[in-house]
Amino acid sequence: MRASLLALAALFAAPSAPLAQTQPSAPLPPPPPCAAAYGPRVCGSAALAPLRAELHAKFMQVIATGNRTATWQARQAEALREIRTARDYDGKPIDDDALAQRFRDFIEQLDAALSQAKGVRDYVKTPSARGETCMASWLNQGCRVTASGILWDKSGRSVYWQMMEGASARDGVGAGIVLWAGSGYGTARLIGFSFDGVVYEPPRITQGGLIWVPGRRAGTGEGNADLLYRWDDGAGAWQDIELESWRDGLDARLPKGFGIWKGIDYDFEGMGGFSKLWRDKDGNCCPSGGDATLNFEIRGRSLALTEVRTDIVARWAR
């Protein structure tokens, strides 16, 4: 299946340099029919056909790198949902130019992912993983290693990691982390990487055997840039768990007039999370609604929200 993905990607656009190849990932399901994926409006538009082909080709290339494939499948699903609905934040239909821009926005994300993959060392000698040279080229402006190390899970599997900070031409100042699985022969193979955050904490292995990397994004929203991996015996590899789609059902579980506007504080030792609550009239800086405690479980390769408990400030609870 992996070979067929690579071949399909090559039909559209072959990358100019070899991309980083992570450990084997689960095969993708067959793509849905055009109308189911993009909506009849897009599939009936000759003007949007080139963008549709470009998005599909580049998405397949990103999947073929093997990096965080569950996360990218979730991101593609969200992008296609926005394209199918073709409405703005007020629920009003958007015109063809705005719809085309939604394609371009996601294609830009895919282009960045492919550029990042080109510069990551997929195999390293273990001393290099813990050295002072950045093992990725995305942060090519003043990149420096901020920390590195090695983890061991209960089965004796080794995980090498390197955190770095610097700046990229696209995103400006940022941070990155790369993880490799030790082979036992002085080399290590790429598990995955991310440059989504502006700050990362050193990775840890939880009591449940998950690799967890806490991280935060730039901006006032302080969005999550956490990474989570679980060992898959069938694949013989670490597989990423996507941490984004669970938010789709969050608002329906909160009291009316309350929301969670920023990233949450995960606790993957207890499969939970915590956040302040914002009221509709609050400023972004100052949540006044109380607290929310969230419970999660892993379903397949996605984090699923199972319970939300709210502790609302007394004056709003009446």
Side-chain angles (χ1 to χ4, degrees):
M1 182 66 181
R2 185 175 179 82
S4 65
L5 292 178
L6 288 168
L8 181 57
L11 290 175
F12 292 95
S16 58
L19 300 179
Q21 296 291 315
T22 63
Q23 300 175 88
S25 57
L28 286 173
C34 180
Y38 297 95
R41 175 180 172 185
V42 170
C43 294
S45 170
L48 292 174
L51 286 171
R52 192 176 76 239
E54 183 180 5
L55 186 151
H56 174 73
K58 289 183 174 176
F59 171 70
M60 295 300 288
Q61 290 180 50
V62 168
I63 292 299
T65 70
N67 181 54
R68 301 177 65 203
T69 55
T71 297
W72 279 107
Q73 288 178 58
R75 289 176 180 176
Q76 190 215 30
E78 173 63 22
L80 295 186
R81 187 160 51 246
E82 291 294 319
I83 288 169
R84 282 195 305 274
T85 57
R87 294 182 178 276
D88 63 18
Y89 291 113
D90 295 322
K92 298 178 181 178
I94 59 176
D95 60 23
D96 286 351
D97 288 341
L99 186 55
Q101 189 58 47
R102 290 191 176 177
F103 275 93
R104 295 189 190 100
D105 289 344
F106 189 53
I107 288 169
E108 183 184 3
Q109 292 182 46
L110 296 171
D111 282 337
L114 291 170
S115 295
Q116 291 167 359
K118 288 179 182 179
V120 175
R121 305 281 184 89
D122 50 354
Y123 283 94
V124 295
K125 294 182 179 180
T126 51
S128 298
R130 303 186 65 182
E132 297 180 358
T133 300
C134 293
M135 294 288 103
S137 62
W138 178 251
L139 302 173
N140 58 1
Q141 301 174 26
C143 187
R144 71 182 188 92
V145 175
T146 56
S148 61
I150 181 173
L151 301 169
W152 299 86
D153 72 2
K154 294 178 180 178
S155 298
R157 288 182 285 260
S158 58
V159 176
Y160 293 82
W161 57 273
Q162 184 185 85
M163 297 196 311
M164 61 200 76
E165 62 181 25
S168 68
R170 177 183 183 268
D171 298 331
V173 174
I177 184 161
V178 187
L179 303 135
W180 299 270
S183 67
Y185 299 98
T187 60
R189 182 180 182 181
L190 188 63
I191 295 172
F193 59 88
S194 178
F195 300 95
D196 291 345
V198 292
V199 61
Y200 289 100
E201 295 180 22
R204 62 203 70 175
I205 293 183
T206 69
Q207 290 298 311
L210 303 172
I211 302 174
W212 173 26
V213 184
R216 288 287 182 177
R217 295 175 179 267
T220 58
E222 298 177 346
N224 291 102
D226 300 64
L227 306 179
L228 194 66
Y229 292 87
R230 181 172 63 176
W231 179 260
D232 186 308
D233 284 327
W238 292 98
Q239 303 280 9
D240 78 302
I241 305 299
E242 65 90 4
L243 307 177
E244 299 177 3
S245 63
W246 67 264
R247 281 185 172 267
D248 294 344
L250 176 60
D251 288 346
R253 293 173 176 263
L254 295 173
K256 185 177 181 179
F258 293 80
I260 294 177
W261 295 0
K262 300 190 178 188
I264 71 166
D265 294 323
Y266 283 116
D267 172 19
F268 287 120
E269 290 289 358
M271 293 304 294
F274 172 84
S275 175
K276 291 293 185 181
L277 285 171
W278 279 258
R279 297 174 61 240
D280 289 345
K281 296 181 180 180
D282 285 341
N284 191 55
C285 66
C286 311
S288 68
D291 303 318
T293 302
L294 299 83
N295 290 339
F296 300 101
E297 66 182 20
I298 295 173
R299 296 176 185 167
R301 290 183 60 190
S302 295
L303 190 70
L305 181 64
T306 59
E307 183 183 15
V308 178
R309 299 190 303 276
T310 57
D311 183 7
I312 297 173
V313 172
R315 65 178 179 274
W316 311 128
R318 291 192 292 271

